Amino acid sequence: MSALQRCSRFNGVTARSTTGKWLLDTMKLRGSVIAGLGSYVPERILTNADLEKIVDTSDEWIVTHTGMKERRVIAEDQNTSDLAVEASKVALRDAGLAAEDLELIIVGTVTPDTVFPSASAILEDKLGAKRAASFDVVTGCTGFVDGMITGSQYVMTGGYDNVLVVAAEALTRVTNWEDRSTCVLFGDGAGAVVLQPDEAGKGLLGYAMDTQGFAGEALTIPSSGSAWPPDEKAIAENATKIYMNGHEIFRMAVRGIPHIAGLAMSKAGVTNEDIDWVVMHQANQRILDAAADRLGIERARVVSNLHKYGNTSAASMALAFDEIYRDGCLQTGDLVLLVGFGAGFCLSGAVVRWEKETPPR
Ligand code: UT7
């Protein structure tokens, strides 16, 4: 007698698989490739000069300490899901797919419209992706690469053929505009990829993920969940906004990036000399440069667009990836090293071979 039959609360349940046959029949070893890529940023630009009017800062300080010059700010009548919709439409068009073709949607965000329904459920509805299942990944600035790694598991094992991974953020909605050490950093935007199956060994070649939870308090919104539901005190203390210990995160990022990137490259069976492009979380130009030097990869190969968009958390890597695609820099067969780091403290790396032959649609 099986465990299920012995358990009285399931008496009467007859339709079940006792062999896992469906799973075994479904599982295939396939490659997961990027079939479509797209991004979107809101129109409003917030420059360093604008920030000089809000807090005691200067263009010179922001540029020398971060490399940032401007960032985008979501419109009052937009929400994170609206940014996600726009990026998704571009990625779907690029893949030659309709929303109805999607089977799974994964959204990486720390600024969803609401805690629930999830950002991905709202996106499913707004896109009209009626056949799609959905869930969010809440891993801060690693959300895009984590979403790609996760979505690829479904593609590689035969579960789904059309997976949309979106990273979207409205960080300016949770920015503390009284804290000059953080408010100059963040911006809003979204990026998306469509993942599809191909021959085994194509697309995603290797990945590595790590969490160092002991450092969680270094980057957090203290009053954002059940531990401290937003109340008057939280609002008065700006505890519903981003708090960051910049030094701690900087130190962990510079130490962690070579570690996670090295693991991802070794799992992919490649070395730094094979890498054509590094798409890294856009937090600080000094971090990008330090990481390039430690990885032994030319700085020019480490994509940087933070001067235009600031730090858009999960969306930043998707925006950078899409930029080299739209600019015509990516060639079929190029190896792209993706490296994310951020709240958690989370670290993720992945090596992806660019398989697309068509230029952006
Ligand atoms: O996306 C998630 C991951 N996040 C990151 O990776 C961020 C990592 N951290 C960083 O990028 C940097 O630590 C920051 C950009 C946040 C800060 O740069 P920093 O070079 O570490 O500056 P600091 O915190 O050491 O501050 C140096 C000085 C301080 O003044 P004193 O104490 O030396 O007099 C700050 O008060 O700069 C002051 N300062 C500013 N001055 C003008 C801090 N923010 C500003 C500002 N404008 N916006």
Side-chain angles (χ1 to χ4, degrees):
M1 183 185 284
S2 73
L4 193 60
Q5 287 163 331
R6 280 199 303 274
C7 180
S8 60
R9 62 185 283 192
F10 291 110
N11 280 349
V13 174
T14 51
R16 65 180 188 277
S17 165
T18 52
T19 61
K21 192 169 177 316
W22 172 82
L23 193 57
L24 290 173
D25 285 350
T26 308
M27 284 186 88
K28 304 166 192 157
L29 195 58
R30 318 190 289 187
S32 169
V33 301
I34 296 172
L37 180 54
S39 66
Y40 170 81
V41 289
E43 281 174 22
R44 191 179 147 209
I45 295 173
L46 185 72
T47 65
N48 290 350
D50 296 328
L51 285 162
E52 286 174 357
K53 294 175 197 145
I54 301 173
V55 284
D56 179 16
T57 190
S58 65
D59 175 58
E60 196 264 334
W61 189 96
I62 300 171
V63 172
T64 53
H65 284 75
T66 72
M68 294 167 189
K69 293 184 176 161
E70 53 189 47
R71 59 292 290 148
R72 298 300 176 103
V73 178
I74 192 166
E76 274 180 26
D77 61 354
Q78 286 181 313
N79 285 317
T80 298
S81 61
D82 300 310
L83 310 187
V85 166
E86 295 308 319
S88 301
K89 283 182 182 168
V90 182
L92 284 169
R93 190 164 60 241
D94 191 42
L97 286 188
E100 295 79 14
D101 297 322
L102 292 172
E103 296 161 289
L104 178 65
I105 298 173
I106 301 173
V107 176
T109 185
V110 288
T111 49
D113 297 12
T114 50
V115 173
F116 58 86
S118 66
S120 53
I122 295 172
L123 179 61
E124 184 265 0
D125 180 45
K126 286 191 173 180
L127 273 181
K130 294 187 170 57
R131 293 174 55 219
S134 72
F135 60 86
D136 291 3
V137 292
V138 190
T139 52
C141 309
T142 58
F144 175 67
V145 61
D146 289 346
M148 274 193 58
I149 293 166
T150 307
S152 289
Q153 309 306 307
Y154 292 90
V155 173
M156 291 166 102
T157 53
Y160 294 119
D161 287 347
N162 292 317
V163 175
L164 176 70
V165 177
V166 185
E169 302 284 11
L171 290 176
T172 59
R173 293 261 164 91
V174 289
T175 295
N176 178 356
W177 295 106
E178 293 171 10
D179 176 11
R180 69 176 181 172
S181 70
T182 55
C183 76
V184 300
L185 305 174
F186 301 114
D188 306 327
V193 289
V194 174
L195 301 175
Q196 285 186 329
D198 205 322
E199 289 164 36
K202 286 194 163 189
L204 178 66
L205 303 184
Y207 60 86
M209 305 159 86
D210 188 28
T211 301
Q212 297 170 7
F214 67 86
E217 288 183 3
L219 180 49
T220 183
I221 298 180
S223 171
S224 55
S226 57
W228 184 2
D231 56 15
E232 277 181 28
K233 181 170 176 286
I235 292 166
E237 293 176 8
N238 273 320
T240 56
K241 309 293 184 189
I242 297 169
Y243 163 81
M244 180 169 74
N245 178 339
H247 276 287
E248 179 72 357
I249 296 292
F250 193 103
R251 198 178 55 83
M252 295 198 66
V254 171
R255 275 203 336 210
I257 291 164
H259 163 70
I260 208 72
L263 277 176
M265 286 191 288
S266 106
K267 284 175 157 185
V270 303
T271 72
N272 56 342
E273 290 178 3
D274 302 314
I275 298 297
D276 296 291
W277 298 102
V278 181
V279 172
M280 203 180 302
H281 172 47
Q282 306 283 302
N284 189 318
Q285 189 60 46
R286 287 151 56 210
I287 295 179
L288 297 182
D289 291 344
D293 296 349
R294 289 189 181 204
L295 286 168
I297 295 175
E298 294 173 70
R299 289 183 179 187
R301 293 191 179 278
V302 180
V303 184
S304 173
N305 64 0
L306 52 76
H307 57 290
K308 289 192 287 188
Y309 305 126
N311 178 345
T312 56
S313 190
S316 85
M317 293 171 67
L319 287 173
F321 204 168
D322 191 41
E323 185 153 319
I324 52 169
Y325 177 41
R326 305 271 148 200
D327 285 353
C329 301
L330 278 174
Q331 290 187 356
T332 312
D334 275 0
L335 285 185
V336 183
L337 171 64
L338 300 162
V339 188
F341 56 90
F345 181 80
C346 292
L347 283 162
S348 294
V351 177
V352 174
R353 189 187 288 120
W354 184 254
E355 308 284 1
K356 266 176 85 72
E357 285 175 13
T358 50
R361 292 186 206 213

